[in-house]
């Protein structure tokens, strides 16, 4: 997950500096910029009907999820929160394909117990532009891992050995439908709000918490 976040941070940094460089170049050499831009547009009209740039950004999320952990006869439910990001390439006028990854943690029992979900995968979505608003719907298909830690006696605030602790980790196939909308602050920067509900398919002892999550973040376009 750290590698994914580092990659997304590097992408955003490069994108921001490239936007600044383009703006400065326009201020310094308006005439030459207009000529070179016009020529490049004429040459690449056909290719840009297929590839129309890319976007990416980071998002924070908050949600309410629940599951019944049958082997422990315990119902886990509560607020989950986390961070992640996405990068997408624009193909045609309405389709984007890319990848995204997130980590989401639900704290339990107020003693250090938790259920932590990580997932990443191939992201596909369709978007439409209506003035400053850009709604979209999509689906991510990939994989992830659910890590559980249940402390039934004691807590994680001391250095004592705990004797009644259950730790479990399970991989799963992730299916994540999404719906959201961007508000265009400028051509290069959007603020996005989206909602999803992650589903996982794995072994019989996978008890993935399910519920809605709400995301908010900044998306940079190039």
């Amino acid at each position: 997950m750290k590698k994914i976040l580092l990659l997304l941070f590097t992408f955003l940094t490069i994108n921001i500096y490239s936007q600044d460089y383009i703006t400065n170049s326009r201020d310094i050499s308006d005439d030459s910029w207009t000529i070179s831009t016009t020529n490049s547009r004429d040459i690449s009209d056909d290719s840009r009907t297929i590839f129309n740039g890319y976007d990416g950004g980071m998002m924070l999320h908050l949600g309410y999820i629940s599951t019944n952990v049958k082997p422990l006869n315990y119902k886990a439910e509560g607020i989950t929160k986390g961070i992640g990001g996405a990068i997408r390439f624009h193909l045609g006028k309405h389709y984007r394909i890319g990848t995204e990854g997130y980590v989401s943690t639900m704290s339990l029992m107020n003693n250090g117990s938790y259920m932590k979900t990580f997932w990443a995968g191939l992201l596909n979505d369709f978007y439409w532009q209506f003035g400053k608003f850009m709604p979209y719907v999509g689906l991510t298909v990939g994989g992830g891992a659910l890590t559980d830690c249940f402390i039934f006696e004691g807590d994680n605030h001391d250095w004592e050995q705990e004797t009644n602790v259950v730790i479990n980790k399970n991989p799963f196939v992730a299916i994540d439908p999404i719906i959201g909308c961007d508000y265009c602050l400028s051509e290069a920067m959007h603020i996005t709000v989206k909602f999803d509900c992650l589903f996982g398919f794995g072994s019989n002892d996978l008890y993935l918490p399910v519920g809605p999550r709400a995301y908010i973040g900044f998306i940079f376009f190039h």
Side-chain angles (χ1 to χ4, degrees):
M1 186 61 192
K2 291 181 179 179
K3 293 181 179 179
I4 294 175
L5 296 178
L6 180 60
L7 178 62
L8 288 169
F9 177 78
T10 304
F11 161 77
L12 294 178
T13 303
I14 294 173
N15 189 68
I16 292 170
Y17 279 111
S18 67
Q19 295 294 333
D20 290 342
Y21 174 78
I22 291 172
T23 302
N24 293 335
S25 299
R26 282 175 175 169
D27 293 340
I28 295 171
S29 55
D30 260 352
D31 294 338
S32 60
W33 176 264
T34 302
I35 294 171
S36 63
T37 304
T38 302
N39 290 339
S40 63
R41 282 178 178 172
D42 292 341
I43 294 171
S44 61
D45 267 350
D46 292 338
S47 63
R48 287 190 65 83
T49 58
I50 299 174
F51 176 70
N52 290 309
Y54 59 90
D55 69 72
M58 304 291 291
M59 284 163 272
L60 300 173
H61 69 261
L62 193 70
Y64 189 88
I65 57 178
S66 66
T67 185
N68 186 17
V69 186
K70 294 180 181 179
L72 303 178
N73 193 27
Y74 175 75
K75 184 175 182 179
E77 59 181 341
I79 300 296
T80 186
K81 56 185 180 295
I83 190 173
I87 180 172
R88 295 166 293 202
F89 300 93
H90 301 206
L91 303 178
K93 293 183 179 180
H94 301 289
Y95 176 65
R96 298 181 295 191
I97 186 170
T99 185
E100 67 175 357
Y102 298 92
V103 61
S104 187
T105 303
M106 174 173 61
S107 298
L108 300 166
M109 305 183 202
N110 296 317
N111 64 358
S113 300
Y114 62 84
M115 299 185 80
K116 180 181 292 184
T117 308
F118 165 76
W119 73 99
L122 181 67
L123 167 63
N124 299 265
D125 71 17
F126 290 90
Y127 68 96
W128 300 265
Q129 187 89 34
F130 300 101
K132 286 185 172 294
F133 293 93
M134 195 174 79
Y136 56 90
V137 294
L139 181 71
T140 296
V141 179
L146 173 65
T147 303
D148 303 324
C149 177
F150 300 102
I151 304 174
F152 290 105
E153 291 182 13
D155 57 46
N156 67 342
H157 302 123
D158 55 44
W159 290 96
E160 297 181 8
Q161 183 176 348
E162 312 298 349
T163 58
N164 193 0
V165 178
V166 176
I167 297 176
N168 182 270
K169 186 172 184 178
N170 259 312
F172 61 87
V173 176
I175 306 292
D176 189 25
I178 61 173
I179 183 170
C181 186
D182 286 8
Y183 179 77
C184 306
L185 301 174
S186 68
E187 288 187 5
M189 181 184 293
H190 295 189
I191 185 170
T192 191
V193 174
K194 77 168 187 175
F195 302 89
D196 78 345
C197 188
L198 176 67
F199 299 95
F201 303 92
S203 62
N204 291 332
D205 60 345
L206 172 68
Y207 301 98
L208 183 71
V210 177
R213 290 178 175 85
Y215 299 73
I216 187 169
F218 289 98
I219 306 295
F220 298 93
F221 282 69
H222 185 81

